[in-house]
Amino acid sequence: MKTFKKVYIEITSVCNLACSFCPQTARKANFMKPEMFNDILDQIKPHTNHIYLHVKGEPLLHPKIDLLLDAAHEKGFKVNITTNGTLLHKAGAKILGKPALRQMNFSLHSFDGHEGSEDREGYVGSVLRFAREAAEQGVLISFRLWNLTEDNLTNAQRQRNRETLSMLEKEFELAYKIEEKVEPGKGVKIAKNIYLNQDYEFQWPSLSAPEDDGKGFCHGLRTQAGVLVDGTVVPCCLDGEGVINLGNVQSSSFSEIVESERANNLFYGFSRREAVEELCRKCGYRKRFGTGA
């Protein structure tokens, strides 16, 4: 039986922002019902103890996220949430203190990625207040600025990042500039349970992207799998459109789906360092893993 470090469960495909780095999904706007969420937890329990409430969509939009966290705790799961952080004034009280909550990832780059964002100080301040309280409760906090480019940032973007980073430096009374410590793809600890991570801008794979020779390695269906809001199982968190549709948990069991012929072809293909799926051959993220093991 395949086991995973994490399974992504997309509790909603809806987002309150339209960021330049995150293509809008063509899938139907949807929110997962608690009954379906519970069923998915039962199905994935033999495979993992960690879930991430994210693929596309903004999880804090889910009106019953508190009930979902309670259900996860009752079934023995630890939960990571990735959020843009703009809805903490509405949802923060629903998630603080929930024993299932292990980590909160804040995509701070969404502020500049969304056209029309206003009041950087208010936005970052709200995230910081929540982060401090959550960290005191033992929740891990990751602040993400994933907007670096290979040819470096424009002066304007560098200045916008500096404004955000200076707020963090002031809040945590750092005696150094974060840029002096952080390396792309690696985090720097700025307080107890609180980290800052900078990385290159994320590129979602697309069938319209150019295809390479398909050589390489990926952790899809090795360390992770995903379940979209309609129950579609995908091999990784990067298949935001369900292109590699392995099956649906509403008609087949998760265990059967991840051991299906298509799933095993993908899995064993990467054992040979070959991408057998078209989307995988057009996914630049695969190159980060090198030849892997």
Side-chain angles (χ1 to χ4, degrees):
M1 177 179 291
K2 291 187 177 74
T3 57
F4 308 105
K5 289 184 178 179
K6 55 199 173 187
V7 170
Y8 290 82
I9 303 178
E10 182 188 64
I11 59 175
T12 180
S13 56
V14 181
C15 189
N16 62 316
L17 301 184
C19 296
S20 58
F21 55 81
C22 185
Q24 297 297 293
T25 179
R27 293 180 287 121
K28 179 182 178 181
N30 202 356
F31 289 84
M32 185 176 289
K33 293 181 179 179
E35 296 79 11
M36 181 174 174
F37 183 76
N38 270 279
D39 182 53
I40 291 171
L41 293 184
D42 289 337
Q43 291 194 43
I44 69 173
K45 184 59 181 174
H47 301 271
T48 192
N49 292 318
H50 290 81
I51 58 175
Y52 285 53
L53 303 186
H54 187 64
V55 176
K56 288 288 187 77
E58 168 52 54
L60 298 193
L61 269 175
H62 200 292
K64 296 183 178 180
I65 191 170
D66 50 341
L67 299 182
L68 304 187
L69 288 169
D70 289 342
H73 176 62
E74 290 170 8
K75 296 179 185 294
F77 288 93
K78 288 298 182 182
V79 179
N80 286 27
I81 295 177
T82 298
T83 174
N84 58 46
T86 59
L87 299 173
L88 289 172
H89 61 291
K90 293 182 178 180
K94 291 184 177 182
I95 59 180
L96 267 177
K98 293 296 186 182
L101 187 60
R102 173 186 175 272
Q103 180 167 328
M104 292 285 293
N105 304 315
F106 290 98
S107 300
L108 299 183
H109 49 283
S110 62
F111 183 87
D112 290 315
H114 175 71
E115 186 176 351
S117 292
E118 297 178 348
D119 188 15
R120 184 188 306 273
E121 190 169 340
Y123 164 67
V124 175
S126 174
V127 171
L128 288 174
R129 286 190 295 274
F130 177 93
R132 274 196 175 278
E133 189 170 353
E136 289 174 1
Q137 297 176 2
V139 178
L140 297 175
I141 302 294
S142 174
F143 297 132
R144 295 175 171 179
L145 274 176
W146 289 3
N147 58 5
L148 301 178
T149 57
E150 294 291 350
D151 55 355
N152 217 327
L153 301 173
T154 64
N155 288 332
Q157 183 59 61
R158 189 180 296 108
Q159 178 57 34
R160 289 192 289 268
N161 277 0
R162 176 93 292 278
E163 291 173 11
T164 296
L165 293 173
S166 67
M167 294 179 197
L168 301 181
E169 292 159 1
K170 181 179 180 181
E171 174 71 19
F172 297 103
E173 299 179 342
L174 302 182
Y176 58 87
K177 290 189 181 298
I178 291 173
E179 297 104 308
E180 298 171 356
K181 301 283 188 179
V182 71
E183 298 178 32
K186 296 182 179 179
V188 57
K189 186 175 182 178
I190 58 177
K192 183 180 179 181
N193 293 331
I194 300 178
Y195 300 82
L196 185 283
N197 182 285
Q198 280 197 283
D199 209 338
Y200 294 102
E201 182 174 318
F202 182 79
Q203 297 292 327
W204 287 90
S206 169
L207 290 178
S208 62
E211 186 172 319
D212 60 23
D213 61 7
K215 300 297 182 182
F217 182 79
C218 181
H219 292 281
L221 289 183
R222 271 184 162 74
T223 64
Q224 64 171 276
V227 184
L228 301 183
V229 69
D230 67 349
T232 298
V233 176
V234 291
C236 69
C237 63
L238 306 186
D239 189 0
E241 293 302 293
V243 173
I244 307 175
N245 183 342
L246 300 175
N248 194 293
V249 295
Q250 297 189 83
S251 54
S252 301
S253 74
F254 181 83
S255 296
E256 292 172 337
I257 292 169
V258 297
E259 294 291 354
S260 66
E261 181 179 4
R262 187 176 186 183
N264 282 330
N265 284 342
L266 184 151
F267 181 93
Y268 291 112
F270 279 122
S271 294
R272 302 188 304 270
R273 308 303 187 256
E274 296 176 5
V276 301
E277 291 281 349
E278 180 183 1
L279 187 68
C280 298
R281 294 193 297 272
K282 296 182 174 182
C283 178
Y285 208 82
R286 169 171 46 87
K287 298 174 183 177
R288 297 190 181 196
F289 302 132
T291 56

